[in-house]
């Protein structure tokens, strides 16, 4: 009972912050100061994804990892400096990709509009275009975020891990004013991209800590488990990449729900969506169709997540380069 009250209090406090932040963001924020920003970002995105379509998933993941730690303030992009270890060097972020490309896009935006557009906004636009260029939904991105000046590796414990159970997932999402619908909808971002074996091999060899070939996650479908074991041959494999949505990992579609419904979700956190009545019903409904509904829901949840803990007005700064403070 006490924990339920604590979660409710957390939600109410976060809602007040999110409401205030979203009121200060505006889709037309740069209409006068940098009207070409979206065109510049899209031009760079089209070029990059034409050459490396597998970059779409990592860019979407980067925005997610940014927003869950200190809010959507570009802190995930900062380099470690001096005695401070930054978020990007923390264990959950060591498999992030795309930092160099983000710097390239930011440089193009700086050339068009010097000192005007934040790295946090550039990343939000890149994530949207990554989805859209992967045949997913398009949505208007509220803009006006400022960049943070602080990035601390230890704070990445706020990121929902792939090993999380349903209670942990709901608590971590609630802490960011994101509800059950946001949880199941944003989890479906796994429809594009790949993952390292190390993010899920505990399900194959060490689910209860016995560390042997028989210590498996009983909720994982057996044929899929065998296929994963053939690719990830041990707990020590931290280099092999596996498609998160086999067969259409470069296309933003309903494939994720179809796999999860068959107990073929790659991560333990994916499988946990079947343990709750609401999220299970959402998975099963969209495994059978309803792409338009999912696309609309995903767009709405991305806007909601993009409002988490943003800096606006005179807060923070507009970085010239995304990896260092001014």
């Amino acid at each position: 009972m006490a924990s339920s009250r604590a979660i409710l209090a957390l939600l109410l406090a976060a809602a007040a912050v999110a409401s205030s932040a979203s009121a200060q963001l505006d889709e037309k924020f740069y209409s006068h100061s940098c009207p070409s920003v979206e065109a510049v970002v899209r031009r760079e995105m089209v070029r990059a994804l034409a050459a490396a379509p597998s970059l779409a998933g990592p860019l979407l993941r980067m925005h997610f990892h940014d927003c869950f730690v200190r809010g959507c303030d570009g802190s995930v992009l900062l380099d470690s400096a001096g005695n401070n270890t930054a978020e990007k060097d923390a264990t959950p972020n060591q498999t992030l990709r795309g930092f160099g490309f983000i710097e390239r896009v930011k440089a193009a935006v700086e050339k068009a509009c010097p000192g005007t557009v934040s790295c946090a906004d550039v990343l939000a636009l890149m994530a949207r275009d990554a989805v859209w260029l992967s045949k997913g939904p398009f949505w208007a991105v509220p803009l006006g975020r400022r960049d943070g000046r602080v990035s601390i590796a230890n704070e990445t414990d706020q990121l929902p891990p792939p090993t999380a159970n349903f209670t942990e997932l709901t608590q971590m999402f609630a802490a960011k004013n994101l509800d059950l619908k946001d949880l199941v909808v944003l989890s479906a971002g796994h429809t594009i991209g790949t993952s390292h074996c190390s993010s899920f091999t505990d399900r194959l060899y060490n689910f209860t800590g016995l560390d042997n070939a028989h210590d498996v996650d009983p909720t994982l479908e057996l044929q899929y488990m065998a296929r994963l074991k053939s690719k990830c041959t041990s707990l020590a494999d931290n280099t092999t990449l596996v498609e998160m949505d086999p067969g259409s990992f470069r296309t933003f579609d309903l494939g994720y729900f179809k796999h999860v419904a068959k107990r073929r979700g790659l991560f333990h956190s994916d499988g946990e969506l079947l343990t709750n009545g609401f999220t299970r019903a959402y998975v099963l409904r969209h495994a059978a169709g309803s792409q338009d509904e999912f696309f609309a829901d995903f767009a709405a949840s991305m806007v909601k997540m993009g409002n988490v803990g943003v800096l606006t007005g005179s807060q923070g700064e507009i970085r010239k380069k995304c990896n260092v403070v001014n």
Side-chain angles (χ1 to χ4, degrees), residues 272-308:
E272 286 293 286
L273 297 178
L274 297 177
T275 66
N276 170 268
F278 177 85
T279 55
R280 178 184 177 87
Y282 193 95
V283 167
L284 297 180
R285 187 166 73 254
H286 290 85
S290 303
Q291 180 166 281
D292 289 347
E293 178 190 1
F294 166 54
F295 277 16
D297 288 344
F298 190 82
S301 288
M302 285 295 290
V303 169
K304 188 174 176 182
M305 184 187 76
N307 286 333
V308 171

PDB file of all heavy atoms in Angstrom, residues 272-308:
ATOM      1  N   GLU A 272       7.891  -9.442 -20.409  1.00  0.00           N
ATOM      2  CA  GLU A 272       7.116  -9.011 -19.244  1.00  0.00           C
ATOM      3  C   GLU A 272       5.833  -8.276 -19.627  1.00  0.00           C
ATOM      4  O   GLU A 272       4.905  -8.163 -18.819  1.00  0.00           O
ATOM      5  CB  GLU A 272       7.976  -8.125 -18.341  1.00  0.00           C
ATOM      6  CG  GLU A 272       9.035  -8.874 -17.553  1.00  0.00           C
ATOM      7  CD  GLU A 272       8.417  -9.789 -16.506  1.00  0.00           C
ATOM      8  OE1 GLU A 272       7.924  -9.286 -15.484  1.00  0.00           O
ATOM      9  OE2 GLU A 272       8.428 -11.020 -16.729  1.00  0.00           O
ATOM     10  N   LEU A 273       5.762  -7.776 -20.851  1.00  0.00           N
ATOM     11  CA  LEU A 273       4.540  -7.096 -21.293  1.00  0.00           C
ATOM     12  C   LEU A 273       3.352  -8.046 -21.343  1.00  0.00           C
ATOM     13  O   LEU A 273       2.200  -7.605 -21.354  1.00  0.00           O
ATOM     14  CB  LEU A 273       4.766  -6.470 -22.678  1.00  0.00           C
ATOM     15  CG  LEU A 273       5.836  -5.379 -22.757  1.00  0.00           C
ATOM     16  CD1 LEU A 273       5.992  -4.895 -24.193  1.00  0.00           C
ATOM     17  CD2 LEU A 273       5.500  -4.203 -21.836  1.00  0.00           C
ATOM     18  N   LEU A 274       3.611  -9.353 -21.368  1.00  0.00           N
ATOM     19  CA  LEU A 274       2.522 -10.342 -21.396  1.00  0.00           C
ATOM     20  C   LEU A 274       2.018 -10.687 -20.001  1.00  0.00           C
ATOM     21  O   LEU A 274       1.059 -11.442 -19.866  1.00  0.00           O
ATOM     22  CB  LEU A 274       2.995 -11.619 -22.098  1.00  0.00           C
ATOM     23  CG  LEU A 274       3.382 -11.488 -23.574  1.00  0.00           C
ATOM     24  CD1 LEU A 274       3.894 -12.812 -24.107  1.00  0.00           C
ATOM     25  CD2 LEU A 274       2.200 -10.998 -24.406  1.00  0.00           C
ATOM     26  N   THR A 275       2.632 -10.122 -18.960  1.00  0.00           N
ATOM     27  CA  THR A 275       2.253 -10.475 -17.590  1.00  0.00           C
ATOM     28  C   THR A 275       1.216  -9.536 -16.992  1.00  0.00           C
ATOM     29  O   THR A 275       0.743  -9.773 -15.884  1.00  0.00           O
ATOM     30  CB  THR A 275       3.492 -10.489 -16.675  1.00  0.00           C
ATOM     31  OG1 THR A 275       4.020  -9.157 -16.562  1.00  0.00           O
ATOM     32  CG2 THR A 275       4.566 -11.421 -17.223  1.00  0.00           C
ATOM     33  N   ASN A 276       0.866  -8.478 -17.718  1.00  0.00           N
ATOM     34  CA  ASN A 276      -0.120  -7.512 -17.231  1.00  0.00           C
ATOM     35  C   ASN A 276      -1.307  -7.489 -18.193  1.00  0.00           C
ATOM     36  O   ASN A 276      -1.115  -7.538 -19.416  1.00  0.00           O
ATOM     37  CB  ASN A 276       0.517  -6.125 -17.130  1.00  0.00           C
ATOM     38  CG  ASN A 276      -0.493  -5.019 -16.870  1.00  0.00           C
ATOM     39  OD1 ASN A 276      -1.011  -4.408 -17.805  1.00  0.00           O
ATOM     40  ND2 ASN A 276      -0.781  -4.757 -15.612  1.00  0.00           N
ATOM     41  N   GLY A 277      -2.513  -7.387 -17.673  1.00  0.00           N
ATOM     42  CA  GLY A 277      -3.709  -7.446 -18.516  1.00  0.00           C
ATOM     43  C   GLY A 277      -3.752  -6.370 -19.583  1.00  0.00           C
ATOM     44  O   GLY A 277      -4.041  -6.650 -20.755  1.00  0.00           O
ATOM     45  N   PHE A 278      -3.436  -5.125 -19.198  1.00  0.00           N
ATOM     46  CA  PHE A 278      -3.523  -4.019 -20.158  1.00  0.00           C
ATOM     47  C   PHE A 278      -2.475  -4.149 -21.257  1.00  0.00           C
ATOM     48  O   PHE A 278      -2.780  -4.053 -22.447  1.00  0.00           O
ATOM     49  CB  PHE A 278      -3.367  -2.677 -19.438  1.00  0.00           C
ATOM     50  CG  PHE A 278      -3.366  -1.495 -20.381  1.00  0.00           C
ATOM     51  CD1 PHE A 278      -4.562  -0.922 -20.805  1.00  0.00           C
ATOM     52  CD2 PHE A 278      -2.168  -0.977 -20.862  1.00  0.00           C
ATOM     53  CE1 PHE A 278      -4.561   0.148 -21.699  1.00  0.00           C
ATOM     54  CE2 PHE A 278      -2.162   0.092 -21.755  1.00  0.00           C
ATOM     55  CZ  PHE A 278      -3.366   0.650 -22.176  1.00  0.00           C
ATOM     56  N   THR A 279      -1.213  -4.332 -20.847  1.00  0.00           N
ATOM     57  CA  THR A 279      -0.148  -4.372 -21.849  1.00  0.00           C
ATOM     58  C   THR A 279      -0.250  -5.635 -22.707  1.00  0.00           C
ATOM     59  O   THR A 279       0.045  -5.603 -23.906  1.00  0.00           O
ATOM     60  CB  THR A 279       1.249  -4.284 -21.192  1.00  0.00           C
ATOM     61  OG1 THR A 279       1.387  -5.306 -20.206  1.00  0.00           O
ATOM     62  CG2 THR A 279       1.440  -2.916 -20.543  1.00  0.00           C
ATOM     63  N   ARG A 280      -0.691  -6.741 -22.126  1.00  0.00           N
ATOM     64  CA  ARG A 280      -0.874  -7.973 -22.898  1.00  0.00           C
ATOM     65  C   ARG A 280      -1.943  -7.769 -23.973  1.00  0.00           C
ATOM     66  O   ARG A 280      -1.760  -8.149 -25.137  1.00  0.00           O
ATOM     67  CB  ARG A 280      -1.271  -9.128 -21.979  1.00  0.00           C
ATOM     68  CG  ARG A 280      -1.540 -10.447 -22.723  1.00  0.00           C
ATOM     69  CD  ARG A 280      -2.036 -11.534 -21.772  1.00  0.00           C
ATOM     70  NE  ARG A 280      -2.345 -12.744 -22.500  1.00  0.00           N
ATOM     71  CZ  ARG A 280      -1.450 -13.690 -22.787  1.00  0.00           C
ATOM     72  NH1 ARG A 280      -0.193 -13.556 -22.396  1.00  0.00           N
ATOM     73  NH2 ARG A 280      -1.819 -14.777 -23.448  1.00  0.00           N
ATOM     74  N   ALA A 281      -3.063  -7.147 -23.585  1.00  0.00           N
ATOM     75  CA  ALA A 281      -4.143  -6.903 -24.548  1.00  0.00           C
ATOM     76  C   ALA A 281      -3.663  -6.001 -25.677  1.00  0.00           C
ATOM     77  O   ALA A 281      -4.023  -6.211 -26.848  1.00  0.00           O
ATOM     78  CB  ALA A 281      -5.345  -6.278 -23.837  1.00  0.00           C
ATOM     79  N   TYR A 282      -2.844  -5.009 -25.346  1.00  0.00           N
ATOM     80  CA  TYR A 282      -2.327  -4.092 -26.381  1.00  0.00           C
ATOM     81  C   TYR A 282      -1.425  -4.861 -27.343  1.00  0.00           C
ATOM     82  O   TYR A 282      -1.518  -4.701 -28.566  1.00  0.00           O
ATOM     83  CB  TYR A 282      -1.561  -2.934 -25.734  1.00  0.00           C
ATOM     84  CG  TYR A 282      -1.271  -1.800 -26.691  1.00  0.00           C
ATOM     85  CD1 TYR A 282      -2.114  -0.695 -26.774  1.00  0.00           C
ATOM     86  CD2 TYR A 282      -0.153  -1.843 -27.541  1.00  0.00           C
ATOM     87  CE1 TYR A 282      -1.865   0.344 -27.658  1.00  0.00           C
ATOM     88  CE2 TYR A 282       0.110  -0.816 -28.427  1.00  0.00           C
ATOM     89  CZ  TYR A 282      -0.750   0.268 -28.490  1.00  0.00           C
ATOM     90  OH  TYR A 282      -0.498   1.282 -29.386  1.00  0.00           O
ATOM     91  N   VAL A 283      -0.538  -5.699 -26.796  1.00  0.00           N
ATOM     92  CA  VAL A 283       0.356  -6.496 -27.646  1.00  0.00           C
ATOM     93  C   VAL A 283      -0.449  -7.389 -28.578  1.00  0.00           C
ATOM     94  O   VAL A 283      -0.202  -7.431 -29.802  1.00  0.00           O
ATOM     95  CB  VAL A 283       1.296  -7.357 -26.772  1.00  0.00           C
ATOM     96  CG1 VAL A 283       2.002  -8.415 -27.637  1.00  0.00           C
ATOM     97  CG2 VAL A 283       2.326  -6.486 -26.065  1.00  0.00           C
ATOM     98  N   LEU A 284      -1.414  -8.124 -28.038  1.00  0.00           N
ATOM     99  CA  LEU A 284      -2.183  -9.078 -28.846  1.00  0.00           C
ATOM    100  C   LEU A 284      -3.012  -8.368 -29.907  1.00  0.00           C
ATOM    101  O   LEU A 284      -3.133  -8.849 -31.047  1.00  0.00           O
ATOM    102  CB  LEU A 284      -3.078  -9.924 -27.943  1.00  0.00           C
ATOM    103  CG  LEU A 284      -2.341 -10.823 -26.937  1.00  0.00           C
ATOM    104  CD1 LEU A 284      -3.326 -11.625 -26.100  1.00  0.00           C
ATOM    105  CD2 LEU A 284      -1.370 -11.761 -27.651  1.00  0.00           C
ATOM    106  N   ARG A 285      -3.583  -7.213 -29.554  1.00  0.00           N
ATOM    107  CA  ARG A 285      -4.402  -6.472 -30.528  1.00  0.00           C
ATOM    108  C   ARG A 285      -3.558  -5.997 -31.697  1.00  0.00           C
ATOM    109  O   ARG A 285      -3.974  -6.077 -32.856  1.00  0.00           O
ATOM    110  CB  ARG A 285      -5.079  -5.277 -29.843  1.00  0.00           C
ATOM    111  CG  ARG A 285      -6.077  -4.549 -30.749  1.00  0.00           C
ATOM    112  CD  ARG A 285      -6.978  -3.601 -29.981  1.00  0.00           C
ATOM    113  NE  ARG A 285      -6.304  -2.392 -29.535  1.00  0.00           N
ATOM    114  CZ  ARG A 285      -5.937  -2.137 -28.299  1.00  0.00           C
ATOM    115  NH1 ARG A 285      -6.147  -3.048 -27.347  1.00  0.00           N
ATOM    116  NH2 ARG A 285      -5.346  -1.003 -27.968  1.00  0.00           N
ATOM    117  N   HIS A 286      -2.358  -5.531 -31.406  1.00  0.00           N
ATOM    118  CA  HIS A 286      -1.525  -4.999 -32.481  1.00  0.00           C
ATOM    119  C   HIS A 286      -0.716  -6.086 -33.191  1.00  0.00           C
ATOM    120  O   HIS A 286      -0.228  -5.862 -34.299  1.00  0.00           O
ATOM    121  CB  HIS A 286      -0.637  -3.874 -31.942  1.00  0.00           C
ATOM    122  CG  HIS A 286      -1.434  -2.655 -31.595  1.00  0.00           C
ATOM    123  ND1 HIS A 286      -2.062  -2.505 -30.380  1.00  0.00           N
ATOM    124  CD2 HIS A 286      -1.770  -1.568 -32.331  1.00  0.00           C
ATOM    125  CE1 HIS A 286      -2.727  -1.369 -30.362  1.00  0.00           C
ATOM    126  NE2 HIS A 286      -2.575  -0.784 -31.531  1.00  0.00           N
ATOM    127  N   ALA A 287      -0.629  -7.246 -32.577  1.00  0.00           N
ATOM    128  CA  ALA A 287      -0.039  -8.384 -33.295  1.00  0.00           C
ATOM    129  C   ALA A 287      -0.967  -8.807 -34.428  1.00  0.00           C
ATOM    130  O   ALA A 287      -0.523  -9.360 -35.439  1.00  0.00           O
ATOM    131  CB  ALA A 287       0.180  -9.549 -32.334  1.00  0.00           C
ATOM    132  N   ALA A 288      -2.250  -8.497 -34.265  1.00  0.00           N
ATOM    133  CA  ALA A 288      -3.247  -8.870 -35.274  1.00  0.00           C
ATOM    134  C   ALA A 288      -3.511  -7.761 -36.287  1.00  0.00           C
ATOM    135  O   ALA A 288      -4.212  -7.974 -37.283  1.00  0.00           O
ATOM    136  CB  ALA A 288      -4.559  -9.251 -34.586  1.00  0.00           C
ATOM    137  N   GLY A 289      -2.968  -6.569 -36.056  1.00  0.00           N
ATOM    138  CA  GLY A 289      -3.205  -5.459 -36.988  1.00  0.00           C
ATOM    139  C   GLY A 289      -3.206  -4.118 -36.269  1.00  0.00           C
ATOM    140  O   GLY A 289      -2.472  -3.911 -35.315  1.00  0.00           O
ATOM    141  N   SER A 290      -4.030  -3.190 -36.744  1.00  0.00           N
ATOM    142  CA  SER A 290      -4.182  -1.863 -36.132  1.00  0.00           C
ATOM    143  C   SER A 290      -2.917  -1.020 -36.207  1.00  0.00           C
ATOM    144  O   SER A 290      -2.518  -0.370 -35.229  1.00  0.00           O
ATOM    145  CB  SER A 290      -4.628  -1.973 -34.666  1.00  0.00           C
ATOM    146  OG  SER A 290      -5.824  -2.699 -34.546  1.00  0.00           O
ATOM    147  N   GLN A 291      -2.256  -0.996 -37.364  1.00  0.00           N
ATOM    148  CA  GLN A 291      -1.026  -0.220 -37.494  1.00  0.00           C
ATOM    149  C   GLN A 291      -1.268   1.273 -37.331  1.00  0.00           C
ATOM    150  O   GLN A 291      -0.467   1.967 -36.705  1.00  0.00           O
ATOM    151  CB  GLN A 291      -0.355  -0.482 -38.848  1.00  0.00           C
ATOM    152  CG  GLN A 291       0.944   0.316 -39.037  1.00  0.00           C
ATOM    153  CD  GLN A 291       1.773  -0.166 -40.198  1.00  0.00           C
ATOM    154  OE1 GLN A 291       2.471  -1.158 -40.105  1.00  0.00           O
ATOM    155  NE2 GLN A 291       1.686   0.537 -41.329  1.00  0.00           N
ATOM    156  N   ASP A 292      -2.363   1.782 -37.879  1.00  0.00           N
ATOM    157  CA  ASP A 292      -2.649   3.218 -37.769  1.00  0.00           C
ATOM    158  C   ASP A 292      -2.776   3.634 -36.307  1.00  0.00           C
ATOM    159  O   ASP A 292      -2.270   4.695 -35.903  1.00  0.00           O
ATOM    160  CB  ASP A 292      -3.929   3.581 -38.527  1.00  0.00           C
ATOM    161  CG  ASP A 292      -3.752   3.514 -40.034  1.00  0.00           C
ATOM    162  OD1 ASP A 292      -2.593   3.439 -40.495  1.00  0.00           O
ATOM    163  OD2 ASP A 292      -4.772   3.527 -40.750  1.00  0.00           O
ATOM    164  N   GLU A 293      -3.444   2.805 -35.500  1.00  0.00           N
ATOM    165  CA  GLU A 293      -3.606   3.114 -34.081  1.00  0.00           C
ATOM    166  C   GLU A 293      -2.248   3.122 -33.384  1.00  0.00           C
ATOM    167  O   GLU A 293      -1.931   4.032 -32.614  1.00  0.00           O
ATOM    168  CB  GLU A 293      -4.522   2.091 -33.409  1.00  0.00           C
ATOM    169  CG  GLU A 293      -4.702   2.337 -31.911  1.00  0.00           C
ATOM    170  CD  GLU A 293      -5.400   1.196 -31.196  1.00  0.00           C
ATOM    171  OE1 GLU A 293      -5.742   0.186 -31.854  1.00  0.00           O
ATOM    172  OE2 GLU A 293      -5.581   1.311 -29.976  1.00  0.00           O
ATOM    173  N   PHE A 294      -1.437   2.114 -33.661  1.00  0.00           N
ATOM    174  CA  PHE A 294      -0.108   2.050 -33.049  1.00  0.00           C
ATOM    175  C   PHE A 294       0.741   3.247 -33.448  1.00  0.00           C
ATOM    176  O   PHE A 294       1.405   3.858 -32.606  1.00  0.00           O
ATOM    177  CB  PHE A 294       0.599   0.752 -33.431  1.00  0.00           C
ATOM    178  CG  PHE A 294       2.077   0.764 -33.127  1.00  0.00           C
ATOM    179  CD1 PHE A 294       2.535   1.058 -31.842  1.00  0.00           C
ATOM    180  CD2 PHE A 294       3.015   0.501 -34.120  1.00  0.00           C
ATOM    181  CE1 PHE A 294       3.902   1.089 -31.563  1.00  0.00           C
ATOM    182  CE2 PHE A 294       4.373   0.541 -33.848  1.00  0.00           C
ATOM    183  CZ  PHE A 294       4.815   0.830 -32.568  1.00  0.00           C
ATOM    184  N   PHE A 295       0.724   3.607 -34.718  1.00  0.00           N
ATOM    185  CA  PHE A 295       1.520   4.744 -35.175  1.00  0.00           C
ATOM    186  C   PHE A 295       1.102   6.026 -34.451  1.00  0.00           C
ATOM    187  O   PHE A 295       1.950   6.821 -34.031  1.00  0.00           O
ATOM    188  CB  PHE A 295       1.390   4.922 -36.686  1.00  0.00           C
ATOM    189  CG  PHE A 295       2.303   4.041 -37.496  1.00  0.00           C
ATOM    190  CD1 PHE A 295       2.929   2.939 -36.927  1.00  0.00           C
ATOM    191  CD2 PHE A 295       2.533   4.305 -38.837  1.00  0.00           C
ATOM    192  CE1 PHE A 295       3.779   2.117 -37.673  1.00  0.00           C
ATOM    193  CE2 PHE A 295       3.385   3.501 -39.588  1.00  0.00           C
ATOM    194  CZ  PHE A 295       4.006   2.411 -39.011  1.00  0.00           C
ATOM    195  N   ALA A 296      -0.193   6.232 -34.303  1.00  0.00           N
ATOM    196  CA  ALA A 296      -0.681   7.423 -33.601  1.00  0.00           C
ATOM    197  C   ALA A 296      -0.271   7.384 -32.132  1.00  0.00           C
ATOM    198  O   ALA A 296       0.152   8.402 -31.555  1.00  0.00           O
ATOM    199  CB  ALA A 296      -2.202   7.515 -33.719  1.00  0.00           C
ATOM    200  N   ASP A 297      -0.360   6.203 -31.520  1.00  0.00           N
ATOM    201  CA  ASP A 297       0.019   6.055 -30.120  1.00  0.00           C
ATOM    202  C   ASP A 297       1.519   6.287 -29.931  1.00  0.00           C
ATOM    203  O   ASP A 297       1.947   6.918 -28.954  1.00  0.00           O
ATOM    204  CB  ASP A 297      -0.340   4.651 -29.612  1.00  0.00           C
ATOM    205  CG  ASP A 297      -1.836   4.450 -29.443  1.00  0.00           C
ATOM    206  OD1 ASP A 297      -2.582   5.448 -29.424  1.00  0.00           O
ATOM    207  OD2 ASP A 297      -2.256   3.273 -29.334  1.00  0.00           O
ATOM    208  N   PHE A 298       2.320   5.765 -30.867  1.00  0.00           N
ATOM    209  CA  PHE A 298       3.765   5.923 -30.745  1.00  0.00           C
ATOM    210  C   PHE A 298       4.157   7.390 -30.850  1.00  0.00           C
ATOM    211  O   PHE A 298       4.973   7.888 -30.073  1.00  0.00           O
ATOM    212  CB  PHE A 298       4.497   5.103 -31.818  1.00  0.00           C
ATOM    213  CG  PHE A 298       5.983   5.026 -31.593  1.00  0.00           C
ATOM    214  CD1 PHE A 298       6.510   4.102 -30.705  1.00  0.00           C
ATOM    215  CD2 PHE A 298       6.848   5.891 -32.247  1.00  0.00           C
ATOM    216  CE1 PHE A 298       7.893   4.036 -30.468  1.00  0.00           C
ATOM    217  CE2 PHE A 298       8.221   5.831 -32.026  1.00  0.00           C
ATOM    218  CZ  PHE A 298       8.743   4.902 -31.136  1.00  0.00           C
ATOM    219  N   ALA A 299       3.549   8.092 -31.794  1.00  0.00           N
ATOM    220  CA  ALA A 299       3.824   9.519 -31.950  1.00  0.00           C
ATOM    221  C   ALA A 299       3.486  10.272 -30.661  1.00  0.00           C
ATOM    222  O   ALA A 299       4.269  11.106 -30.188  1.00  0.00           O
ATOM    223  CB  ALA A 299       3.029  10.079 -33.125  1.00  0.00           C
ATOM    224  N   ALA A 300       2.330   9.968 -30.079  1.00  0.00           N
ATOM    225  CA  ALA A 300       1.902  10.657 -28.854  1.00  0.00           C
ATOM    226  C   ALA A 300       2.841  10.354 -27.690  1.00  0.00           C
ATOM    227  O   ALA A 300       3.208  11.255 -26.915  1.00  0.00           O
ATOM    228  CB  ALA A 300       0.478  10.244 -28.495  1.00  0.00           C
ATOM    229  N   SER A 301       3.273   9.103 -27.566  1.00  0.00           N
ATOM    230  CA  SER A 301       4.168   8.738 -26.467  1.00  0.00           C
ATOM    231  C   SER A 301       5.556   9.338 -26.656  1.00  0.00           C
ATOM    232  O   SER A 301       6.225   9.687 -25.679  1.00  0.00           O
ATOM    233  CB  SER A 301       4.266   7.208 -26.344  1.00  0.00           C
ATOM    234  OG  SER A 301       3.070   6.667 -25.818  1.00  0.00           O
ATOM    235  N   MET A 302       5.997   9.477 -27.901  1.00  0.00           N
ATOM    236  CA  MET A 302       7.297  10.103 -28.152  1.00  0.00           C
ATOM    237  C   MET A 302       7.276  11.583 -27.785  1.00  0.00           C
ATOM    238  O   MET A 302       8.245  12.107 -27.222  1.00  0.00           O
ATOM    239  CB  MET A 302       7.698   9.919 -29.613  1.00  0.00           C
ATOM    240  CG  MET A 302       8.176   8.521 -29.947  1.00  0.00           C
ATOM    241  SD  MET A 302       9.714   8.045 -29.100  1.00  0.00           S
ATOM    242  CE  MET A 302      10.913   9.094 -29.952  1.00  0.00           C
ATOM    243  N   VAL A 303       6.179  12.263 -28.099  1.00  0.00           N
ATOM    244  CA  VAL A 303       6.051  13.673 -27.711  1.00  0.00           C
ATOM    245  C   VAL A 303       6.046  13.785 -26.181  1.00  0.00           C
ATOM    246  O   VAL A 303       6.708  14.655 -25.599  1.00  0.00           O
ATOM    247  CB  VAL A 303       4.774  14.287 -28.307  1.00  0.00           C
ATOM    248  CG1 VAL A 303       4.498  15.669 -27.700  1.00  0.00           C
ATOM    249  CG2 VAL A 303       4.899  14.403 -29.824  1.00  0.00           C
ATOM    250  N   LYS A 304       5.321  12.880 -25.542  1.00  0.00           N
ATOM    251  CA  LYS A 304       5.238  12.889 -24.079  1.00  0.00           C
ATOM    252  C   LYS A 304       6.612  12.636 -23.460  1.00  0.00           C
ATOM    253  O   LYS A 304       7.030  13.346 -22.535  1.00  0.00           O
ATOM    254  CB  LYS A 304       4.238  11.817 -23.626  1.00  0.00           C
ATOM    255  CG  LYS A 304       3.898  11.834 -22.140  1.00  0.00           C
ATOM    256  CD  LYS A 304       2.797  10.819 -21.869  1.00  0.00           C
ATOM    257  CE  LYS A 304       2.467  10.720 -20.387  1.00  0.00           C
ATOM    258  NZ  LYS A 304       1.420   9.685 -20.142  1.00  0.00           N
ATOM    259  N   MET A 305       7.334  11.642 -23.972  1.00  0.00           N
ATOM    260  CA  MET A 305       8.675  11.368 -23.461  1.00  0.00           C
ATOM    261  C   MET A 305       9.616  12.528 -23.741  1.00  0.00           C
ATOM    262  O   MET A 305      10.470  12.871 -22.920  1.00  0.00           O
ATOM    263  CB  MET A 305       9.236  10.088 -24.082  1.00  0.00           C
ATOM    264  CG  MET A 305      10.599   9.684 -23.517  1.00  0.00           C
ATOM    265  SD  MET A 305      11.356   8.282 -24.374  1.00  0.00           S
ATOM    266  CE  MET A 305      11.924   9.093 -25.888  1.00  0.00           C
ATOM    267  N   GLY A 306       9.446  13.164 -24.896  1.00  0.00           N
ATOM    268  CA  GLY A 306      10.295  14.288 -25.269  1.00  0.00           C
ATOM    269  C   GLY A 306      10.111  15.508 -24.400  1.00  0.00           C
ATOM    270  O   GLY A 306      10.921  16.447 -24.460  1.00  0.00           O
ATOM    271  N   ASN A 307       9.063  15.512 -23.560  1.00  0.00           N
ATOM    272  CA  ASN A 307       8.822  16.617 -22.626  1.00  0.00           C
ATOM    273  C   ASN A 307       9.439  16.372 -21.253  1.00  0.00           C
ATOM    274  O   ASN A 307       9.409  17.256 -20.384  1.00  0.00           O
ATOM    275  CB  ASN A 307       7.312  16.820 -22.433  1.00  0.00           C
ATOM    276  CG  ASN A 307       6.653  17.467 -23.637  1.00  0.00           C
ATOM    277  OD1 ASN A 307       7.304  18.201 -24.374  1.00  0.00           O
ATOM    278  ND2 ASN A 307       5.379  17.193 -23.845  1.00  0.00           N
ATOM    279  N   VAL A 308       9.997  15.188 -21.043  1.00  0.00           N
ATOM    280  CA  VAL A 308      10.481  14.825 -19.707  1.00  0.00           C
ATOM    281  C   VAL A 308      11.672  15.697 -19.293  1.00  0.00           C
ATOM    282  O   VAL A 308      12.697  15.749 -19.978  1.00  0.00           O
ATOM    283  CB  VAL A 308      10.884  13.331 -19.663  1.00  0.00           C
ATOM    284  CG1 VAL A 308      11.600  13.011 -18.354  1.00  0.00           C
ATOM    285  CG2 VAL A 308       9.672  12.437 -19.829  1.00  0.00           C
TER     286      VAL A 308
END
